[in-house]
Amino acid sequence: MLLYNTLSRSKEEFKPIVHGKAGVYSCGPTVYWFAHIGNMRAFLFADLLCRTLRFNGYDVDQVMNITDVGHLVDDGDEGEDKMIVAMKREGKTAYDIAEFYAHAFFKDLEKLNITPASKYPRATEHIAEQIEMIEQLEKNGFTYRTSDGIYFDTSKLSDYGRLSGQRADEKQAGSRVDMGEKKNGTDFALWKFSPSSVKREMEWESTWGVGFPGWHIECSAMSKKYLGVPFDIHTGGIDHIAVHHENEIAQTEGAEGKLEANYWMHNEFITVDGGKMSKSLGNVYTIDQLIEKGFDPLAFRYLCLQAHYRSKLNFTWESLEGAQNALNRLRNTVRDWEVPPLRLGNEAREASLYEQKFADAMNDDLNSPEALAVVWELVDSSESTAHKSEVLLALDRVLGLHLETCVAVQTEIPSDVQKFVEERARARAEKNYAESDRLRTEIEKLGFIVEDKPDGQKVREM
Ligand code: AMP
Ligand code: ZN
């Protein structure tokens, strides 16, 4: 399998640390608001990676964190904690906010048929591990204290900036952050002291005083706990490269003297109507909003598969409609197929040419648009439909389009539609074509399409 590693800026052959196993850490959601379609692209990408690893026979252990403390509004070390903003907005406790939005997030994962990770550790449940790592960094001489917290001194690491390819001094020159008491512009908070005037709901005792962890330390501490150092693959959106992941690498290297993960993979962003999604433009869509507009959430999954994860994906309603139509066409086609042949025990089956081509596409840095093209080649091929059913279901283990609910499964026709279909059969037998057309329109009004085939009428959902 070739995977694009942001660290080396090249596609590399995937070599696992332990033969046959793959440890994957995916930066998860900050549970202060509903996840939007951009966030969901990041999780769909991580799912596609894990599914492809499994398709190749790897035993995958995926860990995804839930950020419920420490992620500040401006992604730097200033501004309010996003969870505190949500508490004020909704008048609830931080715990209730986290529960509510984590629940909504898990529902979204289900709607998109994203395979659950093995674990979803929460930052607030791993404060001791984070403190321990900061203590190790302190022992190793990477920290300093300011009036508002304990900071990581990025000048102490000779290769700080290796992920984004920017040296620390270039980064400093490019960053417009207010340095405050920081020694270097790229230094970041490991532990922030609670303001003495206000009691925060989320604060903990530590050797440095009462406070809360910085955002980046949770991922270094929890990935170490659940996957070890180093582990195989780390995923996230491209916005994480320059700060969050750079800082994760610095922390783990400072504390453990090792690289945190061998492969760093990042998905490109979703834009909406060619621009950034933003609340002020009212174009921050959630999966539920797509459903409210009548779309199947898996049409969004199909839309994401149509673009390579490292390409920008411009979301428009028309593009979603196109994906929905393609998915409907696929589902309707496979309904008429024969069931796959029954195989006894471990009876081997010859890998089909299409399966091989599909694997080649996915194993070339998850080239899902090409893999989808192979699916349509298979659909249009002259192979027997029983064979096609078998192969398509194997490929759907990677695509995750729930095709097992459609292959060789006839649509249930509601009785009112059935009544019109029978009346239409009589009208056609009597050569009353005007009546037959009227009944076709009635059937369409109920959301079904009727086609006249040599062996009679075929009805399917629109
Ligand atoms: P957050 O909840 O802000 O920590 O983000 C969760 C994930 O979504 C991260 O991996 C981000 O990099 C990713 N992400 C945020 N916005 C977008 C977007 N517009 N398109 C794709 N991924 C995004
Ligand atoms: Zn992270």
Side-chain angles (χ1 to χ4, degrees):
M1 266 181 94
L2 289 178
L3 300 176
Y4 183 86
N5 191 349
T6 306
L7 204 52
S8 64
R9 276 164 275 287
S10 63
K11 283 190 207 172
E12 291 177 28
E13 183 65 36
F14 175 59
K15 294 199 187 94
I17 294 164
V18 178
H19 178 75
K21 294 194 180 228
V24 179
Y25 185 92
S26 303
C27 283
T30 306
V31 283
Y32 74 115
W33 197 254
F34 294 106
H36 57 61
I37 54 173
N39 302 137
M40 295 323 288
R41 184 188 196 193
F43 306 127
L44 279 167
F45 148 64
D47 184 45
L48 192 66
L49 169 69
C50 293
R51 283 171 176 267
T52 307
L53 287 162
R54 290 191 187 100
F55 192 70
N56 281 279
Y58 289 103
D59 175 8
V60 178
D61 187 6
Q62 185 195 21
V63 175
M64 183 182 284
N65 65 306
I66 301 282
T67 300
D68 54 1
V69 67
H71 194 171
L72 305 188
V73 169
D74 71 355
D75 271 12
D77 298 310
E78 300 301 323
E80 267 190 301
D81 189 312
K82 291 186 178 186
M83 295 302 291
I84 306 262
V85 172
M87 284 164 65
K88 288 185 184 157
R89 184 182 67 221
E90 300 184 23
K92 293 184 192 162
T93 66
Y95 178 80
D96 288 340
I97 298 274
E99 276 312 293
F100 179 80
Y101 289 109
H103 179 75
F105 170 68
F106 291 127
K107 284 273 162 221
D108 280 345
L109 294 186
E110 233 175 271
K111 288 170 197 161
L112 292 173
N113 194 22
I114 290 175
T115 309
S118 342
K119 284 174 207 77
Y120 292 97
R122 294 186 187 210
T124 53
E125 289 168 6
H126 295 78
I127 299 295
E129 288 85 348
Q130 296 177 69
I131 290 178
E132 198 182 299
M133 195 170 223
I134 302 168
E135 283 171 351
Q136 188 61 46
L137 284 168
E138 193 171 41
K139 254 186 232 144
N140 296 356
F142 286 96
T143 64
Y144 62 91
R145 189 184 185 109
T146 71
S147 57
D148 78 345
I150 304 295
Y151 280 76
F152 188 103
D153 185 346
T154 53
S155 69
K156 296 270 168 74
L157 264 187
S158 58
D159 55 2
Y160 181 83
R162 60 197 283 200
L163 189 66
S164 57
Q166 268 186 307
R167 293 198 324 269
D169 52 347
E170 290 169 359
K171 271 183 176 252
Q172 326 272 10
S175 65
R176 284 175 282 108
V177 281
D178 175 11
M179 291 266 288
E181 296 167 57
K182 286 193 211 177
K183 291 185 181 168
N184 311 285
T186 46
D187 292 355
F188 55 92
L190 295 163
W191 187 260
K192 293 268 281 189
F193 303 137
S194 289
S196 50
S197 51
V198 226
K199 169 98 185 97
R200 266 178 66 108
E201 185 191 331
M202 292 186 297
E203 58 185 15
W204 295 266
E205 295 283 345
S206 80
T207 34
W208 314 283
V210 176
F212 57 98
W215 172 37
H216 318 296
I217 194 73
E218 67 178 88
C219 290
S220 289
M222 299 197 292
S223 65
K224 175 187 161 196
K225 174 165 182 175
Y226 294 109
L227 295 170
V229 186
F231 59 90
D232 292 302
I233 309 172
H234 197 310
T235 75
I238 45 156
D239 57 325
H240 283 349
I241 298 174
V243 178
H244 182 52
H245 289 174
E246 204 81 271
N247 294 348
E248 276 192 39
I249 289 176
Q251 293 166 153
T252 305
E253 200 154 320
E256 302 290 317
K258 289 188 228 166
L259 182 61
E260 183 184 356
N262 290 340
Y263 300 83
W264 292 77
M265 296 180 69
H266 297 96
N267 65 281
E268 248 294 353
F269 260 37
I270 281 197
T271 52
V272 174
D273 296 323
K276 202 174 164 348
M277 258 190 276
S278 88
K279 290 216 180 75
S280 58
L281 293 173
N283 64 1
V284 182
Y285 303 127
T286 62
I287 296 300
D288 279 348
Q289 282 170 322
L290 308 191
I291 296 171
E292 275 160 28
K293 290 227 179 204
F295 290 98
D296 181 330
L298 293 182
F300 178 67
R301 186 173 179 111
Y302 191 97
L303 182 75
C304 290
L305 289 169
Q306 284 178 310
H308 189 264
Y309 77 91
R310 283 194 291 121
S311 310
K312 276 204 175 61
L313 197 170
N314 183 33
F315 177 89
T316 60
W317 292 106
E318 291 72 36
S319 65
L320 185 60
E321 206 163 313
Q324 180 76 69
N325 290 340
L327 181 60
N328 290 352
R329 189 156 76 82
L330 184 60
R331 286 172 169 166
N332 287 328
T333 309
V334 303
R335 281 207 170 94
D336 286 340
W337 287 1
E338 301 281 324
V339 290
L342 199 62
R343 302 217 175 258
L344 297 174
N346 288 338
E347 187 192 346
R349 135 182 106 78
E350 230 176 276
S352 113
L353 159 78
Y354 297 99
E355 231 165 331
Q356 194 49 56
K357 283 173 82 172
F358 179 92
D360 289 347
M362 288 310 296
N363 290 345
D364 182 10
D365 190 32
L366 314 182
N367 192 339
S368 56
E370 204 168 299
L372 271 186
V374 177
V375 166
W376 285 105
E377 258 183 66
L378 167 74
V379 169
D380 295 334
S381 74
S382 55
E383 307 264 344
S384 78
T385 64
H387 173 70
K388 291 203 273 192
S389 294
E390 185 168 38
V391 176
L392 187 64
L393 291 177
L395 306 188
D396 197 41
R397 281 170 38 216
V398 175
L399 302 170
L401 294 171
H402 262 325
L403 294 176
E404 75 284 356
T405 60
C406 311
V407 168
V409 178
Q410 296 300 325
T411 328
E412 216 170 288
I413 311 293
S415 59
D416 44 355
V417 174
Q418 188 60 37
K419 194 171 125 281
F420 285 136
V421 172
E422 283 163 18
E423 278 177 33
R424 192 168 175 272
R426 276 195 294 278
R428 289 177 69 76
E430 291 160 9
K431 299 205 176 350
N432 184 351
Y433 295 115
E435 176 64 359
S436 157
D437 285 348
R438 185 187 74 77
L439 289 162
R440 175 197 294 280
T441 312
E442 289 302 325
I443 293 167
E444 280 174 4
K445 278 190 210 154
L446 295 171
F448 285 80
I449 287 177
V450 61
E451 288 167 316
D452 297 309
K453 299 269 168 136
D455 56 345
Q457 301 180 79
K458 276 249 149 80
V459 186
R460 59 178 173 83
E461 251 177 300
M462 252 177 194

